[in-house]
Amino acid sequence: MYLITGAKGQLGTELAARLPDAICADVDVLDITDADAVAKFVSENNVDVIINCAAYTAVDKAEEDVALATKINVDGPRNLAKSGAKIIHISTDYVFDGTGHQPYKTDDETCPVSVYGKTKRAGEIAVLENAKCAVIIRTAWLYSAHGNNFVKTMRRLGAEKESLNVVADQIGSPTFAGDLADAIVEIIPQMTEQNSGIYHFTNEGVCSWYDFASEIMEMSGLACVVNPIKSSQYPTPAKRPFYSVLDKDKIKQVFGINIKHWKKGLEKCIKQF
């Protein structure tokens, strides 16, 4: 039996559509920060694979809300990992400081510069230390037709405004949640103790937030003009990695995953609207 935690989020919603027999649990069904509740739930429901999409992802808010971010991003994954089930745990590019200039490999040294990044890195360690079989997937710039994300925000603002300012000095790879969900479905039957570890998945290609926003406007048929600005002109409470491109060779080689370009993913997402 599969268990999807954080099932109402962007990735959880995509996974639920692909795994119709899975148990879909959000916090109203299972509080992953409650160790006893997790152990009982996994045992009673004969769960053998957990896909943990639950996370505290409010990056700026986490700077003040350290305790809750830690509970959800560290204690929760640890509880799930201790349950005895195989686990796929979703992590983030924010475990790196973003000062590099070539795609980050899975074994590159981590150096998170925000509370969110630090709690996500601690969550990775907790999973690896407590699960017999774990696949941790770091992703970046995730979006879908569900929930709150950059694509939906840009489409809304693009319909309301004549022009927008978007940072052009942060570089990464947009990731369509549907493409990540497809990869996870491929990985599940291949999971073994031998291939446990950390993997990277984003869509192929590289762009800035400005490039991404410009493409969203074009594909959506919106006339809103996107202006490039520097991150220094748009300060935020939490530091963002300036460069968060992830090297995906390992996930391709170990699991035979074929990864599409980010523009293909965006096309699919726009069609869902």
Side-chain angles (χ1 to χ4, degrees), residues 100-150:
H101 297 287
Q102 53 191 17
Y104 286 101
K105 296 183 183 299
T106 55
D107 56 358
D108 281 345
E109 190 176 344
T110 56
C111 184
V113 292
S114 64
V115 168
Y116 170 67
K118 287 170 184 170
T119 59
K120 289 298 286 183
R121 176 56 185 152
E124 292 181 354
I125 294 165
V127 169
L128 292 172
E129 286 179 346
N130 290 284
K132 280 186 188 163
C133 180
V135 169
I136 291 169
I137 302 176
R138 292 176 182 148
T139 191
W141 296 25
L142 196 68
Y143 67 90
S144 74
H146 322 285
N148 298 316
N149 57 69
F150 186 76

Side-chain angles (χ1 to χ4, degrees), residues 21-207:
D21 296 330
I23 299 168
C24 295
D26 224 78
V27 68
D28 54 344
V29 175
L30 175 64
D31 179 2
I32 65 168
T33 68
D34 183 334
D36 293 336
V38 168
K40 186 166 181 265
F41 193 92
V42 169
S43 172
E44 287 181 351
N45 290 284
N46 298 313
V47 173
D48 46 18
V49 179
I50 298 167
I51 308 152
N52 182 35
C53 306
Y56 185 108
T57 57
V59 176
D60 289 324
K61 212 170 160 195
E63 293 297 307
E64 295 177 359
D65 212 352
V66 182
L68 184 58
T70 303
K71 272 183 79 172
I72 297 171
N73 290 346
V74 187
D75 299 345
R78 182 186 295 112
N79 295 337
L80 294 169
K82 281 183 172 178
S83 71
K86 291 179 178 180
I87 182 168
I88 293 179
H89 174 66
I90 307 304
S91 192
T92 174
D93 58 306
Y94 277 68
V95 300
F96 299 112
D97 61 11
T99 59
H101 297 287
Q102 53 191 17
Y104 286 101
K105 296 183 183 299
T106 55
D107 56 358
D108 281 345
E109 190 176 344
T110 56
C111 184
V113 292
S114 64
V115 168
Y116 170 67
K118 287 170 184 170
T119 59
K120 289 298 286 183
R121 176 56 185 152
E124 292 181 354
I125 294 165
V127 169
L128 292 172
E129 286 179 346
N130 290 284
K132 280 186 188 163
C133 180
V135 169
I136 291 169
I137 302 176
R138 292 176 182 148
T139 191
W141 296 25
L142 196 68
Y143 67 90
S144 74
H146 322 285
N148 298 316
N149 57 69
F150 186 76
V151 173
K152 289 180 83 171
T153 300
M154 288 299 105
R155 280 170 56 87
R156 176 176 57 78
L157 293 175
E160 295 169 0
K161 296 174 178 284
E162 289 182 5
S163 67
L164 276 176
N165 297 333
V166 179
V167 294
D169 55 2
Q170 292 176 27
I171 307 296
S173 304
T175 307
F176 175 46
D179 288 341
L180 176 52
D182 287 338
I184 289 169
V185 171
E186 280 189 61
I187 288 166
I188 291 170
Q190 301 183 62
M191 288 175 73
T192 64
E193 287 183 38
Q194 287 69 39
N195 60 30
S196 286
I198 295 173
Y199 295 83
H200 289 167
F201 182 98
T202 62
N203 280 114
E204 294 285 18
V206 174
C207 66

